[in-house]
Amino acid sequence: MTARLAALGRAEATLLWRNRSAAFTALCMPLFMVWALRPAIAHMHLGKVGMTASAVSITGGIGITLVFVVYSGLVPAYVTRREELVLKRLRTGEPTDLEILAGTALPAVTVALAQCVVMIAAGSALLHVPAPRRPELFLLGLVLGIPLMVALAAASSALARTTEVAQLTAMPLSFISLFGSGLFTPLEVLPHTLADVCRLLPLTPVVDLVRTGWLGGADAARVVRDLVTAFAWTGLAVFAVRRWFRWEPRR
């Protein structure tokens, strides 16, 4: 299984680097957005909620990485491999369905983890952000966020009929996550009713775990709420993949 997964990952990585727009988005977009949005974050009144602009930028940047590198990158990847009959051919061989989906996602996940390491190092060295106070919660957020984004990408790919519209299919959830999951506007500064609604979004529990893991201050009830929400969305996404994911083009 490991050898097959590694082989699928290498093949997908080759295809990723050949696609210049996808490679640019994966490598540069998260870091660019952190740099571009940090001045706006600095003007927010974050002191009253116990946060700093640097900490919000770095933790939000990790969420950006999950959205752009993993989710938005994988939706067109799954659709393209489906339309080119790659998935259908792989399914007739030894790899299982899970191996095919995971192998396709492996390069994007690797790039995302590398981006997170760069952001953590940059936050400590350049922005003087302290080390995570609750590293177990920080890592838990990443461990939950990556498979959630992969499953959502696979589920979303079923909605795209062609490769040309695949990127458009990923846009609604991407924008909802960017503006509603607390990436660069912490939910603590939003009106309570709006914040309660935003806490139900797929990426919100992941961002909350990453941020509270870095800054501390999370109580047990909050962590449990985030875990329940993340597991619920992951379960729904996996169900959608099993029910509607397409392995060959529509005719």
Side-chain angles (χ1 to χ4, degrees), residues 67-68 71-72 167 169-179 183:
V67 171
F68 278 98
Y71 176 73
S72 294
Q167 198 65 54
T169 304
M171 289 180 64
L173 182 58
S174 298
F175 279 105
I176 289 172
S177 299
L178 288 176
F179 297 105
L183 272 69

Side-chain angles (χ1 to χ4, degrees), residues 11 108 113 115 117 135 167 176 188 198 216-217 230:
L113 290 175
Q115 292 271 17
V117 171
Q167 198 65 54
I176 289 172
E188 288 80 0
C198 290

Side-chain angles (χ1 to χ4, degrees), residues 117-173:
V117 171
V118 170
M119 289 187 189
I120 294 171
S124 300
L126 303 177
L127 302 180
H128 307 292
V129 178
R133 297 180 183 178
R134 298 284 304 275
E136 73 280 5
L137 293 182
F138 178 84
L139 292 175
L140 182 60
L142 285 180
V143 169
L144 292 176
I146 289 174
L148 172 59
M149 291 293 104
V150 172
L152 287 173
S156 298
S157 70
L159 302 174
R161 297 184 63 89
T162 65
T163 301
E164 289 73 17
V165 301
Q167 198 65 54
L168 296 177
T169 304
M171 289 180 64
L173 182 58

Side-chain angles (χ1 to χ4, degrees), residues 25-236:
T25 300
L27 293 174
C28 302
M29 185 62 72
L31 297 175
F32 171 77
M33 291 197 69
V34 171
W35 173 80
L37 292 175
R38 190 172 180 274
I41 297 172
H43 287 86
M44 297 180 185
H45 301 290
L46 298 174
K48 60 182 180 182
V49 295
M51 301 181 187
T52 65
S54 296
V56 170
S57 299
I58 295 301
T59 52
I62 291 173
I64 286 284
T65 299
L66 295 179
V67 171
F68 278 98
V69 179
V70 181
Y71 176 73
S72 294
L74 283 180
V75 173
Y78 284 131
V79 175
T80 301
R81 306 301 170 261
R82 181 192 73 202
E83 296 301 308
E84 294 176 346
L85 300 179
V86 174
L87 298 182
K88 184 178 182 180
R89 289 195 296 268
L90 288 173
R91 213 179 185 204
T92 62
E94 294 183 359
T96 64
D97 291 353
L98 180 60
E99 288 173 348
I100 295 171
L101 295 176
T104 304
L106 189 58
V109 171
T110 302
V111 172
L113 290 175
Q115 292 271 17
C116 291
V117 171
V118 170
M119 289 187 189
I120 294 171
S124 300
L126 303 177
L127 302 180
H128 307 292
V129 178
R133 297 180 183 178
R134 298 284 304 275
E136 73 280 5
L137 293 182
F138 178 84
L139 292 175
L140 182 60
L142 285 180
V143 169
L144 292 176
I146 289 174
L148 172 59
M149 291 293 104
V150 172
L152 287 173
S156 298
S157 70
L159 302 174
R161 297 184 63 89
T162 65
T163 301
E164 289 73 17
V165 301
Q167 198 65 54
L168 296 177
T169 304
M171 289 180 64
L173 182 58
S174 298
F175 279 105
I176 289 172
S177 299
L178 288 176
F179 297 105
S181 291
L183 272 69
F184 293 106
T185 304
L187 301 187
E188 288 80 0
V189 304
L190 297 178
H192 292 299
T193 302
L194 179 59
D196 289 340
V197 173
C198 290
R199 287 190 177 95
L200 299 177
L201 297 175
L203 192 61
T204 302
V206 175
V207 175
D208 199 34
L209 286 170
V210 167
R211 185 161 288 154
T212 55
W214 199 305
L215 302 177
D219 55 27
R222 181 173 176 177
V223 172
V224 170
R225 180 198 66 200
D226 291 335
L227 291 176
V228 169
T229 306
F231 279 121
W233 275 108
T234 303
L236 287 173

